[in-house]
Amino acid sequence: MIVIRCGSAPVPTVLGEHPRIEVSEVPDKDEINRALAEVGTRRRLLVCGTDAGLATLLTRLMRSENLDVEVAYIAEEDTPATRAYGLPTGSAAAKLGVQGQAHEVPLVRDETGAVLVGEATVAGPRGELLVGEAYADDDKVFSGEVPTLTVRVSRDFPGCAPLSRSRADSGVGGGSPRAQSSSAAPVR
């Protein structure tokens, strides 16, 4: 077990006895590779940081074929990822990370292969409407114009629910989200 502190994220005192690696708030490839080398046979990473740091770490684990590593997420306060996965925060998250049992959860990726944790929103450029179409597997989420498209991850398979913000009732459950637009601005 090893603690990865992303940026200036607080590390709960319950983690004080565990080895620690300091990385950037959103760690780069080399920092994550160093952490993987350090973890060795202690195959659990305790990640103290933000959703963005966690997503970057998970992306690197996936791309380096290290998905057998257990990952515990310790956020200081409630985030989209802690809500999506039903995780505690602060000291309670640290205790769960040390003592808890790991469970598989779906890994949701975007079209670039980057892992999504919590939620991501796609909007049109410069606050304009998003023009195009999006699908979740075979289900059309929208076609035409919408203010935004938000994708929220879930701990249940298939792992995400795209929600078009054009109408309150237009959420489509499940599947891999795909969007096509001539100009879109992802917001994470």
Side-chain angles (χ1 to χ4, degrees):
M1 203 172 297
I2 193 165
V3 175
I4 299 178
R5 180 181 186 213
C6 299
S8 60
V11 177
T13 55
V14 71
L15 300 178
E17 66 187 54
H18 297 284
R20 181 187 309 177
I21 295 176
E22 306 273 338
V23 298
S24 304
E25 184 173 342
V26 179
D28 64 27
K29 179 180 173 180
D30 292 336
E31 290 174 313
I32 295 170
N33 287 342
R34 181 171 49 99
L36 289 173
E38 291 280 332
V39 74
T41 59
R42 300 169 288 195
R43 305 299 284 175
R44 183 175 291 195
L45 303 175
L46 304 168
V47 182
C48 298
T50 64
D51 288 0
L54 175 65
T56 301
L57 177 97
L58 291 172
T59 299
R60 186 67 195 137
L61 289 176
M62 179 189 61
R63 289 180 177 165
S64 63
E65 298 183 11
N66 279 291
L67 291 177
D68 61 323
V69 174
E70 295 176 359
V71 177
Y73 181 39
I74 296 104
E76 180 179 20
E77 53 193 38
D78 200 33
T79 72
T82 62
R83 287 190 297 275
Y85 298 116
L87 296 173
T89 59
S91 293
K95 288 177 188 171
L96 180 62
V98 171
Q99 301 168 355
Q101 179 70 32
H103 299 279
E104 283 189 11
V105 295
L107 192 63
V108 178
R109 299 177 295 148
D110 68 12
E111 70 281 355
T112 68
V115 172
L116 170 64
V117 301
E119 66 181 38
T121 298
V122 180
R126 298 170 302 283
E128 298 171 13
L129 290 176
L130 176 63
V131 179
E133 59 186 17
Y135 289 85
D137 289 335
D138 294 330
D139 297 322
K140 186 183 293 186
V141 177
F142 86 91
S143 180
E145 298 178 341
V146 294
T148 61
L149 172 69
T150 299
V151 177
R152 291 192 183 119
V153 301
S154 164
R155 62 179 159 188
D156 301 318
F157 287 92
C160 68
L163 305 169
S164 170
R165 296 267 174 106
S166 62
R167 297 188 321 265
D169 63 344
S170 62
V172 176
S176 298
R178 297 182 314 278
Q180 180 175 340
S181 175
S182 59
S183 181
V187 179
R188 293 181 193 249

